[in-house]
Amino acid sequence: MAEAGTGFLEQLKSCIVWSWTYLWTLWFFIMLFLVYILRVPLKINDNLTTVSMFLNTLTPKFYVALTGTSSLISGLILIFEWWYFRKYGTSFIEQVSVSHLRPLLGGMDNSAPSAASAANGDADSSRQSVSECKVWRNPLNLFRGAEYNRYTWVTGREPLTYYDMNLSAQDHQTFFTCDTDHLRPADAIMQKAWRERNPQARISAAHEALELNECATAYILLAEEEATTIVEAEKLFKQALKAGEGCYRRSQQLQHHGAQYEAQHRRDTNVLVYIKRRLAMCARKLGRTREAVKMMRDLMKEFPLLSMFNIHENLLEALLELQAYADVQAVLAKYDDISLPKSATICYTAALLKARAVSDKSPVPTATSFLPTQRLQLGRAGLRFSPEAASRRGLSTAEMNAVEAIHRAVEFNPHVPKYLLEMKSLILPPEHILKRGDSEAIAYAFFHLQHWKRVEGALNLLHCTWEGTFRMIPYPLEKGHLFYPYPICTETADRELLPSFHEVSVYPKKELPFFILFTAGLCSFTAMLALLTHQFPELMGVFAKAFLSTLFAPLNFVMEKVESILPSSLWHQLTRI
């Protein structure tokens, strides 16, 4: 019985919602008709006469008080709306209407996850408990001495912020130090060196440690910060590899002898993995891409549990350089899983492969079907996809898959397309990135723009379809389509990660909501009325009476016409029935 009663109530509610959504005009006219029929028992004519008499007896002081009070109330509402918008990035009235009124009027329930979100596993409640703005180490970060410092020498600008470098110092202390460092003099010096803020002091400490012993972490610091070329950095990393392998073998034999030895072995493992990864990156930068791919594959096979370094993203970039798209697809099949965190590299690489399938299978449209500017644009990106032609013949399976993949990638990180389409200038990527933020978009586009240009028609397909994503997620802060809602705090974190000379990309744009603009206009208008009423009370009283009479003139005209059409005894007949 309870289930039947609940089902009946749900059906009744759905019927009411449907009637209010589609038949509100009929409801409005029915209410007007009932008011007209009940005008005699409700004494509407008498009340209107009383109201008109009351308005005629009002003094100018009343209008002054009325306009002043309304101006004050609208001003208080404006101040509250502005404070709420500055703190939370949205209008309070708009949020209440979206969260509470829209579901009652037939809108979608924001609390119910979509089927696509459930399929991707990104709307799970446990994911929300994780910090929304966690900062990650950039897998493709550059070398400070050989790349970042050279940029500073040429341009005079600092590509890294203090916040970014401080995060790197914390990473170095976590990965390259342990509690037993005080037992070895060279490691004790390096433990202090990683905490040192002055770059020259760190380099001097590394040389001092090398005078005492062959220290792997000292070679790492010199390769990262003192080497001015990639060749010098690779040479130092090879020396670090020789010293790191010896420490790793010794600690591996003693790791089960106690907690201190286990911590030391964990540190030596981190050092060895870091060295091999940076050596692979040096090989990639020096053009030995196949050698770099082999080193990365061996490293992932030897240490499969160290996913925190995200070596697979380095591997994807190297495989794209080799145009080994089948191998790229195999790596994506392993790491583009619902149980693993996503990244711009994974999402946009998957979209690139789907766009490549379109260029392989789509018929080439004729250049005469486009305007001269369109022919020039499509000639640069490849004459492979045309929105006009696709709308006439319909999307093929390959094009549909590519568009869905692009929408998925853009929803995850909406900042990337402007860099790939060169609508916004690139800068050197930071050492840390914020997933779904502008910093991640810069890091991805900096290394992958050339791969998108290499695939014919990929950038054209991205240009034609990426903005359609935003129509699918009209309220990205409250509800996503394929991923969890967009974090609010990305702008603040990106401004700390990216240099001051870069204009941070923000999504969604924090434009002033309609209710704030409306309240500001209402406050200004009522304040002006209050001032005019205070200065010219009699004239404004005449104006108010004339305005009200003009406002009610159409209603009085309609009432007279209705009374002339309907018989006067209609209400008497209805009461008898």
Short mmCIF file of all heavy atoms in Angstrom, two decimals, residues 211-268:
data_model
loop_
_atom_site.label_atom_id
_atom_site.label_comp_id
_atom_site.label_asym_id
_atom_site.label_seq_id
_atom_site.Cartn_x
_atom_site.Cartn_y
_atom_site.Cartn_z
N GLU A 211 82.92 15.93 -3.25
CA GLU A 211 84.30 15.81 -2.77
C GLU A 211 84.44 14.75 -1.69
O GLU A 211 85.50 14.15 -1.54
CB GLU A 211 84.77 17.17 -2.23
CG GLU A 211 84.91 18.24 -3.30
CD GLU A 211 85.28 19.58 -2.71
OE1 GLU A 211 85.39 19.66 -1.46
OE2 GLU A 211 85.45 20.55 -3.48
N LEU A 212 83.34 14.47 -0.98
CA LEU A 212 83.38 13.46 0.07
C LEU A 212 83.10 12.06 -0.47
O LEU A 212 83.70 11.09 -0.02
CB LEU A 212 82.36 13.80 1.17
CG LEU A 212 82.56 15.13 1.90
CD1 LEU A 212 81.43 15.36 2.89
CD2 LEU A 212 83.91 15.13 2.62
N ASN A 213 82.18 11.98 -1.44
CA ASN A 213 81.77 10.65 -1.91
C ASN A 213 81.03 10.82 -3.24
O ASN A 213 80.57 11.90 -3.59
CB ASN A 213 80.86 9.98 -0.87
CG ASN A 213 80.67 8.50 -1.14
OD1 ASN A 213 81.31 7.94 -2.04
ND2 ASN A 213 79.78 7.88 -0.39
N GLU A 214 80.91 9.70 -3.97
CA GLU A 214 80.11 9.69 -5.19
C GLU A 214 78.63 9.66 -4.80
O GLU A 214 78.06 8.61 -4.51
CB GLU A 214 80.46 8.46 -6.04
CG GLU A 214 81.83 8.51 -6.67
CD GLU A 214 81.90 9.54 -7.78
OE1 GLU A 214 80.95 9.63 -8.58
OE2 GLU A 214 82.91 10.28 -7.83
N CYS A 215 78.02 10.83 -4.79
CA CYS A 215 76.63 10.98 -4.31
C CYS A 215 75.70 11.17 -5.51
O CYS A 215 75.88 12.12 -6.30
CB CYS A 215 76.54 12.17 -3.36
SG CYS A 215 74.90 12.42 -2.66
N ALA A 216 74.73 10.28 -5.64
CA ALA A 216 73.82 10.33 -6.78
C ALA A 216 72.96 11.59 -6.76
O ALA A 216 72.75 12.23 -7.80
CB ALA A 216 72.93 9.09 -6.79
N THR A 217 72.47 11.96 -5.59
CA THR A 217 71.60 13.14 -5.51
C THR A 217 72.37 14.43 -5.81
O THR A 217 71.79 15.39 -6.31
CB THR A 217 70.94 13.22 -4.13
OG1 THR A 217 71.96 13.20 -3.12
CG2 THR A 217 70.00 12.06 -3.90
N ALA A 218 73.69 14.45 -5.51
CA ALA A 218 74.49 15.63 -5.86
C ALA A 218 74.60 15.77 -7.37
O ALA A 218 74.49 16.88 -7.92
CB ALA A 218 75.87 15.52 -5.22
N TYR A 219 74.81 14.66 -8.06
CA TYR A 219 74.83 14.70 -9.52
C TYR A 219 73.48 15.15 -10.08
O TYR A 219 73.42 15.87 -11.10
CB TYR A 219 75.21 13.33 -10.08
CG TYR A 219 76.69 12.99 -9.99
CD1 TYR A 219 77.12 11.88 -9.27
CD2 TYR A 219 77.63 13.79 -10.63
CE1 TYR A 219 78.47 11.57 -9.19
CE2 TYR A 219 78.99 13.47 -10.55
CZ TYR A 219 79.40 12.37 -9.83
OH TYR A 219 80.73 12.06 -9.76
N ILE A 220 72.39 14.71 -9.45
CA ILE A 220 71.06 15.12 -9.91
C ILE A 220 70.90 16.64 -9.82
O ILE A 220 70.43 17.29 -10.76
CB ILE A 220 69.97 14.41 -9.09
CG1 ILE A 220 69.93 12.92 -9.42
CG2 ILE A 220 68.60 15.03 -9.34
CD1 ILE A 220 68.95 12.13 -8.58
N LEU A 221 71.31 17.21 -8.70
CA LEU A 221 71.17 18.65 -8.52
C LEU A 221 72.01 19.42 -9.54
O LEU A 221 71.55 20.41 -10.13
CB LEU A 221 71.58 19.04 -7.10
CG LEU A 221 71.20 20.46 -6.66
CD1 LEU A 221 70.89 20.49 -5.17
CD2 LEU A 221 72.31 21.46 -6.96
N LEU A 222 73.23 18.95 -9.78
CA LEU A 222 74.07 19.63 -10.76
C LEU A 222 73.52 19.49 -12.17
O LEU A 222 73.58 20.43 -12.97
CB LEU A 222 75.49 19.06 -10.69
CG LEU A 222 76.25 19.33 -9.38
CD1 LEU A 222 77.62 18.66 -9.43
CD2 LEU A 222 76.40 20.82 -9.12
N ALA A 223 72.97 18.30 -12.50
CA ALA A 223 72.40 18.10 -13.83
C ALA A 223 71.16 18.96 -14.03
O ALA A 223 70.92 19.46 -15.14
CB ALA A 223 72.05 16.62 -14.02
N GLU A 224 70.40 19.16 -12.99
CA GLU A 224 69.17 19.95 -13.12
C GLU A 224 69.46 21.44 -13.17
O GLU A 224 68.81 22.17 -13.92
CB GLU A 224 68.23 19.64 -11.94
CG GLU A 224 67.63 18.25 -11.95
CD GLU A 224 66.53 18.09 -12.98
OE1 GLU A 224 66.12 19.11 -13.57
OE2 GLU A 224 66.08 16.96 -13.20
N GLU A 225 70.41 21.94 -12.37
CA GLU A 225 70.53 23.37 -12.16
C GLU A 225 71.83 23.98 -12.68
O GLU A 225 71.85 25.17 -13.03
CB GLU A 225 70.37 23.70 -10.67
CG GLU A 225 69.04 23.23 -10.10
CD GLU A 225 68.75 23.80 -8.74
OE1 GLU A 225 69.35 24.84 -8.39
OE2 GLU A 225 67.95 23.22 -8.01
N GLU A 226 72.92 23.21 -12.73
CA GLU A 226 74.19 23.81 -13.17
C GLU A 226 74.44 23.60 -14.66
O GLU A 226 75.00 24.47 -15.33
CB GLU A 226 75.35 23.24 -12.36
CG GLU A 226 76.66 23.96 -12.64
CD GLU A 226 77.83 23.36 -11.89
OE1 GLU A 226 77.90 22.12 -11.78
OE2 GLU A 226 78.68 24.13 -11.40
N ALA A 227 74.05 22.45 -15.20
CA ALA A 227 74.28 22.17 -16.61
C ALA A 227 73.52 23.16 -17.48
O ALA A 227 72.32 23.38 -17.28
CB ALA A 227 73.87 20.74 -16.93
N THR A 228 74.23 23.73 -18.45
CA THR A 228 73.61 24.73 -19.32
C THR A 228 73.10 24.15 -20.63
O THR A 228 72.45 24.86 -21.40
CB THR A 228 74.62 25.85 -19.63
OG1 THR A 228 75.79 25.28 -20.22
CG2 THR A 228 75.01 26.58 -18.35
N THR A 229 73.39 22.89 -20.91
CA THR A 229 72.89 22.23 -22.12
C THR A 229 72.37 20.85 -21.74
O THR A 229 72.73 20.29 -20.68
CB THR A 229 73.98 22.09 -23.18
OG1 THR A 229 75.05 21.26 -22.68
CG2 THR A 229 74.54 23.45 -23.58
N ILE A 230 71.57 20.28 -22.62
CA ILE A 230 71.04 18.94 -22.39
C ILE A 230 72.16 17.90 -22.44
O ILE A 230 72.12 16.90 -21.71
CB ILE A 230 69.94 18.61 -23.42
CG1 ILE A 230 68.80 19.64 -23.31
CG2 ILE A 230 69.38 17.22 -23.20
CD1 ILE A 230 68.09 19.65 -21.98
N VAL A 231 73.17 18.14 -23.27
CA VAL A 231 74.29 17.20 -23.36
C VAL A 231 75.03 17.14 -22.02
O VAL A 231 75.38 16.04 -21.53
CB VAL A 231 75.23 17.63 -24.50
CG1 VAL A 231 76.47 16.72 -24.54
CG2 VAL A 231 74.50 17.58 -25.84
N GLU A 232 75.29 18.29 -21.41
CA GLU A 232 75.95 18.30 -20.10
C GLU A 232 75.07 17.63 -19.05
O GLU A 232 75.57 16.89 -18.18
CB GLU A 232 76.26 19.74 -19.69
CG GLU A 232 77.27 20.44 -20.57
CD GLU A 232 77.50 21.88 -20.14
OE1 GLU A 232 77.02 22.24 -19.04
OE2 GLU A 232 78.14 22.64 -20.87
N ALA A 233 73.76 17.90 -19.10
CA ALA A 233 72.85 17.28 -18.14
C ALA A 233 72.85 15.76 -18.28
O ALA A 233 72.87 15.03 -17.29
CB ALA A 233 71.44 17.84 -18.32
N GLU A 234 72.86 15.26 -19.52
CA GLU A 234 72.87 13.82 -19.73
C GLU A 234 74.15 13.19 -19.19
O GLU A 234 74.12 12.10 -18.60
CB GLU A 234 72.72 13.52 -21.22
CG GLU A 234 72.60 12.03 -21.52
CD GLU A 234 72.50 11.75 -23.00
OE1 GLU A 234 73.10 12.52 -23.79
OE2 GLU A 234 71.83 10.77 -23.39
N LYS A 235 75.27 13.87 -19.38
CA LYS A 235 76.54 13.35 -18.87
C LYS A 235 76.51 13.23 -17.35
O LYS A 235 76.95 12.22 -16.78
CB LYS A 235 77.66 14.27 -19.33
CG LYS A 235 79.05 13.81 -18.90
CD LYS A 235 80.11 14.77 -19.41
CE LYS A 235 81.51 14.32 -18.94
NZ LYS A 235 82.57 15.26 -19.41
N LEU A 236 75.98 14.24 -16.69
CA LEU A 236 75.90 14.20 -15.22
C LEU A 236 74.90 13.14 -14.76
O LEU A 236 75.12 12.47 -13.74
CB LEU A 236 75.50 15.58 -14.70
CG LEU A 236 76.58 16.67 -14.80
CD1 LEU A 236 75.99 18.04 -14.49
CD2 LEU A 236 77.74 16.36 -13.85
N PHE A 237 73.80 12.97 -15.47
CA PHE A 237 72.83 11.95 -15.09
C PHE A 237 73.41 10.54 -15.26
O PHE A 237 73.07 9.63 -14.50
CB PHE A 237 71.56 12.10 -15.91
CG PHE A 237 70.56 13.04 -15.30
CD1 PHE A 237 70.13 14.17 -15.99
CD2 PHE A 237 70.05 12.82 -14.03
CE1 PHE A 237 69.21 15.03 -15.43
CE2 PHE A 237 69.13 13.68 -13.46
CZ PHE A 237 68.72 14.80 -14.15
N LYS A 238 74.28 10.35 -16.24
CA LYS A 238 74.91 9.03 -16.38
C LYS A 238 75.83 8.75 -15.19
O LYS A 238 75.90 7.61 -14.72
CB LYS A 238 75.69 8.98 -17.69
CG LYS A 238 74.80 8.89 -18.92
CD LYS A 238 75.61 8.82 -20.20
CE LYS A 238 74.69 8.67 -21.42
NZ LYS A 238 75.45 8.63 -22.69
N GLN A 239 76.54 9.76 -14.71
CA GLN A 239 77.34 9.58 -13.51
C GLN A 239 76.44 9.31 -12.30
O GLN A 239 76.77 8.51 -11.43
CB GLN A 239 78.22 10.81 -13.27
CG GLN A 239 79.27 11.03 -14.34
CD GLN A 239 80.06 12.32 -14.12
OE1 GLN A 239 79.57 13.43 -14.39
NE2 GLN A 239 81.27 12.17 -13.61
N ALA A 240 75.31 10.01 -12.25
CA ALA A 240 74.37 9.77 -11.15
C ALA A 240 73.80 8.36 -11.22
O ALA A 240 73.58 7.72 -10.18
CB ALA A 240 73.24 10.81 -11.22
N LEU A 241 73.57 7.86 -12.43
CA LEU A 241 73.04 6.50 -12.58
C LEU A 241 74.03 5.46 -12.04
O LEU A 241 73.63 4.51 -11.36
CB LEU A 241 72.74 6.22 -14.05
CG LEU A 241 72.22 4.82 -14.39
CD1 LEU A 241 70.88 4.57 -13.69
CD2 LEU A 241 72.08 4.65 -15.89
N LYS A 242 75.30 5.64 -12.31
CA LYS A 242 76.31 4.70 -11.82
C LYS A 242 76.34 4.68 -10.30
O LYS A 242 76.37 3.61 -9.68
CB LYS A 242 77.68 5.10 -12.38
CG LYS A 242 78.80 4.15 -12.01
CD LYS A 242 80.11 4.58 -12.66
CE LYS A 242 81.24 3.63 -12.25
NZ LYS A 242 82.54 4.05 -12.85
N ALA A 243 76.30 5.87 -9.68
CA ALA A 243 76.30 5.93 -8.22
C ALA A 243 74.97 5.45 -7.64
O ALA A 243 74.94 4.77 -6.60
CB ALA A 243 76.59 7.36 -7.76
N GLY A 244 73.87 5.79 -8.30
CA GLY A 244 72.56 5.38 -7.78
C GLY A 244 72.32 3.90 -7.85
O GLY A 244 71.68 3.32 -6.96
N GLU A 245 72.80 3.23 -8.88
CA GLU A 245 72.64 1.78 -8.97
C GLU A 245 73.39 1.06 -7.87
O GLU A 245 72.92 0.07 -7.31
CB GLU A 245 73.11 1.29 -10.34
CG GLU A 245 72.14 1.62 -11.47
CD GLU A 245 72.65 1.15 -12.81
OE1 GLU A 245 73.89 0.94 -12.94
OE2 GLU A 245 71.83 0.99 -13.74
N GLY A 246 74.60 1.56 -7.52
CA GLY A 246 75.35 0.95 -6.42
C GLY A 246 74.60 1.09 -5.09
O GLY A 246 74.50 0.11 -4.33
N CYS A 247 74.07 2.28 -4.81
CA CYS A 247 73.30 2.48 -3.56
C CYS A 247 72.04 1.62 -3.56
O CYS A 247 71.65 1.08 -2.52
CB CYS A 247 72.95 3.95 -3.41
SG CYS A 247 74.37 5.03 -3.13
N TYR A 248 71.42 1.50 -4.72
CA TYR A 248 70.18 0.72 -4.79
C TYR A 248 70.44 -0.76 -4.52
O TYR A 248 69.67 -1.40 -3.79
CB TYR A 248 69.55 0.90 -6.17
CG TYR A 248 68.32 0.06 -6.41
CD1 TYR A 248 67.10 0.39 -5.83
CD2 TYR A 248 68.39 -1.09 -7.19
CE1 TYR A 248 65.97 -0.38 -6.03
CE2 TYR A 248 67.26 -1.87 -7.40
CZ TYR A 248 66.07 -1.52 -6.83
OH TYR A 248 64.95 -2.31 -7.03
N ARG A 249 71.52 -1.31 -5.07
CA ARG A 249 71.83 -2.73 -4.84
C ARG A 249 72.16 -2.99 -3.38
O ARG A 249 71.74 -4.00 -2.79
CB ARG A 249 72.99 -3.15 -5.74
CG ARG A 249 72.60 -3.34 -7.20
CD ARG A 249 73.70 -4.05 -7.96
NE ARG A 249 74.93 -3.25 -8.01
CZ ARG A 249 75.22 -2.40 -8.99
NH1 ARG A 249 74.37 -2.24 -10.00
NH2 ARG A 249 76.35 -1.71 -8.96
N ARG A 250 72.90 -2.07 -2.74
CA ARG A 250 73.26 -2.27 -1.33
C ARG A 250 72.02 -2.18 -0.43
O ARG A 250 71.84 -3.00 0.48
CB ARG A 250 74.30 -1.23 -0.91
CG ARG A 250 75.68 -1.48 -1.49
CD ARG A 250 76.72 -0.61 -0.83
NE ARG A 250 76.47 0.81 -1.10
CZ ARG A 250 77.00 1.48 -2.12
NH1 ARG A 250 77.78 0.84 -3.00
NH2 ARG A 250 76.75 2.76 -2.29
N SER A 251 71.16 -1.19 -0.68
CA SER A 251 69.96 -1.05 0.17
C SER A 251 68.95 -2.15 -0.10
O SER A 251 68.16 -2.51 0.78
CB SER A 251 69.33 0.33 -0.05
OG SER A 251 68.89 0.46 -1.39
N GLN A 252 68.96 -2.70 -1.31
CA GLN A 252 68.03 -3.79 -1.62
C GLN A 252 68.33 -5.03 -0.79
O GLN A 252 67.43 -5.77 -0.40
CB GLN A 252 68.10 -4.11 -3.10
CG GLN A 252 67.02 -5.07 -3.59
CD GLN A 252 67.08 -5.30 -5.08
OE1 GLN A 252 68.15 -5.16 -5.69
NE2 GLN A 252 65.96 -5.63 -5.70
N GLN A 253 69.60 -5.27 -0.50
CA GLN A 253 69.98 -6.43 0.30
C GLN A 253 69.65 -6.26 1.77
O GLN A 253 69.48 -7.24 2.50
CB GLN A 253 71.48 -6.70 0.12
CG GLN A 253 71.89 -7.04 -1.30
CD GLN A 253 73.40 -7.13 -1.46
OE1 GLN A 253 74.15 -6.89 -0.51
NE2 GLN A 253 73.86 -7.49 -2.67
N LEU A 254 69.54 -5.00 2.23
CA LEU A 254 69.32 -4.73 3.65
C LEU A 254 67.91 -4.22 3.96
O LEU A 254 67.64 -3.85 5.10
CB LEU A 254 70.33 -3.70 4.14
CG LEU A 254 71.82 -4.06 3.98
CD1 LEU A 254 72.69 -2.87 4.37
CD2 LEU A 254 72.18 -5.28 4.82
N GLN A 255 67.02 -4.20 2.97
CA GLN A 255 65.72 -3.55 3.18
C GLN A 255 64.86 -4.25 4.22
O GLN A 255 64.00 -3.61 4.83
CB GLN A 255 64.97 -3.48 1.85
CG GLN A 255 64.66 -4.83 1.23
CD GLN A 255 63.81 -4.70 -0.02
OE1 GLN A 255 62.88 -3.92 -0.06
NE2 GLN A 255 64.13 -5.49 -1.05
N HIS A 256 65.05 -5.54 4.44
CA HIS A 256 64.22 -6.29 5.39
C HIS A 256 64.83 -6.35 6.79
O HIS A 256 64.31 -7.06 7.65
CB HIS A 256 63.99 -7.71 4.88
CG HIS A 256 63.33 -7.76 3.53
ND1 HIS A 256 62.06 -7.29 3.31
CD2 HIS A 256 63.78 -8.21 2.33
CE1 HIS A 256 61.74 -7.46 2.04
NE2 HIS A 256 62.77 -8.02 1.41
N HIS A 257 65.88 -5.59 7.03
CA HIS A 257 66.54 -5.64 8.35
C HIS A 257 66.01 -4.63 9.34
O HIS A 257 66.50 -4.57 10.45
CB HIS A 257 68.06 -5.44 8.16
CG HIS A 257 68.72 -6.60 7.45
ND1 HIS A 257 70.09 -6.69 7.31
CD2 HIS A 257 68.23 -7.70 6.84
CE1 HIS A 257 70.40 -7.80 6.64
NE2 HIS A 257 69.27 -8.42 6.35
N GLY A 258 65.07 -3.81 8.92
CA GLY A 258 64.50 -2.84 9.84
C GLY A 258 63.82 -1.72 9.09
O GLY A 258 63.92 -1.59 7.86
N ALA A 259 63.10 -0.88 9.86
CA ALA A 259 62.35 0.22 9.25
C ALA A 259 63.27 1.25 8.62
O ALA A 259 62.96 1.82 7.57
CB ALA A 259 61.45 0.87 10.29
N GLN A 260 64.42 1.51 9.24
CA GLN A 260 65.35 2.49 8.68
C GLN A 260 65.90 2.04 7.33
O GLN A 260 66.00 2.83 6.40
CB GLN A 260 66.48 2.75 9.66
CG GLN A 260 66.06 3.49 10.93
CD GLN A 260 67.23 3.80 11.82
OE1 GLN A 260 68.32 3.26 11.65
NE2 GLN A 260 67.02 4.68 12.80
N TYR A 261 66.26 0.76 7.26
CA TYR A 261 66.77 0.24 5.98
C TYR A 261 65.69 0.23 4.90
O TYR A 261 65.97 0.45 3.72
CB TYR A 261 67.33 -1.17 6.18
CG TYR A 261 68.57 -1.22 7.05
CD1 TYR A 261 68.50 -1.63 8.37
CD2 TYR A 261 69.80 -0.83 6.53
CE1 TYR A 261 69.64 -1.67 9.16
CE2 TYR A 261 70.95 -0.86 7.33
CZ TYR A 261 70.86 -1.28 8.64
OH TYR A 261 71.98 -1.32 9.42
N GLU A 262 64.46 -0.02 5.32
CA GLU A 262 63.36 0.01 4.34
C GLU A 262 63.14 1.42 3.81
O GLU A 262 62.91 1.62 2.60
CB GLU A 262 62.09 -0.52 4.99
CG GLU A 262 60.92 -0.65 4.03
CD GLU A 262 59.70 -1.25 4.69
OE1 GLU A 262 59.78 -1.68 5.86
OE2 GLU A 262 58.64 -1.28 4.03
N ALA A 263 63.21 2.44 4.68
CA ALA A 263 63.07 3.82 4.24
C ALA A 263 64.23 4.22 3.33
O ALA A 263 64.05 4.92 2.33
CB ALA A 263 63.02 4.75 5.45
N GLN A 264 65.44 3.73 3.65
CA GLN A 264 66.59 4.04 2.80
C GLN A 264 66.45 3.39 1.43
O GLN A 264 66.78 4.01 0.40
CB GLN A 264 67.86 3.55 3.49
CG GLN A 264 69.14 3.89 2.74
CD GLN A 264 70.38 3.46 3.52
OE1 GLN A 264 70.32 3.25 4.73
NE2 GLN A 264 71.50 3.33 2.81
N HIS A 265 65.92 2.17 1.39
CA HIS A 265 65.72 1.50 0.10
C HIS A 265 64.64 2.21 -0.71
O HIS A 265 64.77 2.33 -1.95
CB HIS A 265 65.31 0.04 0.34
CG HIS A 265 64.98 -0.70 -0.91
ND1 HIS A 265 65.91 -1.00 -1.88
CD2 HIS A 265 63.80 -1.19 -1.39
CE1 HIS A 265 65.35 -1.64 -2.88
NE2 HIS A 265 64.06 -1.78 -2.61
N ARG A 266 63.62 2.71 -0.05
CA ARG A 266 62.58 3.45 -0.76
C ARG A 266 63.16 4.72 -1.37
O ARG A 266 62.85 5.08 -2.51
CB ARG A 266 61.44 3.79 0.20
CG ARG A 266 60.21 4.35 -0.50
CD ARG A 266 59.13 4.74 0.50
NE ARG A 266 58.81 3.65 1.41
CZ ARG A 266 59.06 3.66 2.72
NH1 ARG A 266 59.64 4.73 3.27
NH2 ARG A 266 58.74 2.64 3.48
N ARG A 267 64.03 5.40 -0.61
CA ARG A 267 64.66 6.61 -1.13
C ARG A 267 65.56 6.27 -2.31
O ARG A 267 65.52 6.95 -3.35
CB ARG A 267 65.47 7.27 -0.01
CG ARG A 267 66.01 8.69 -0.31
CD ARG A 267 67.31 8.70 -1.11
NE ARG A 267 68.33 7.91 -0.48
CZ ARG A 267 69.21 8.38 0.41
NH1 ARG A 267 69.18 9.64 0.73
NH2 ARG A 267 70.14 7.60 0.93
N ASP A 268 66.36 5.23 -2.21
CA ASP A 268 67.26 4.84 -3.32
C ASP A 268 66.47 4.42 -4.55
O ASP A 268 66.91 4.66 -5.69
CB ASP A 268 68.18 3.71 -2.86
CG ASP A 268 69.16 4.16 -1.80
OD1 ASP A 268 69.44 5.38 -1.72
OD2 ASP A 268 69.66 3.31 -1.03
#
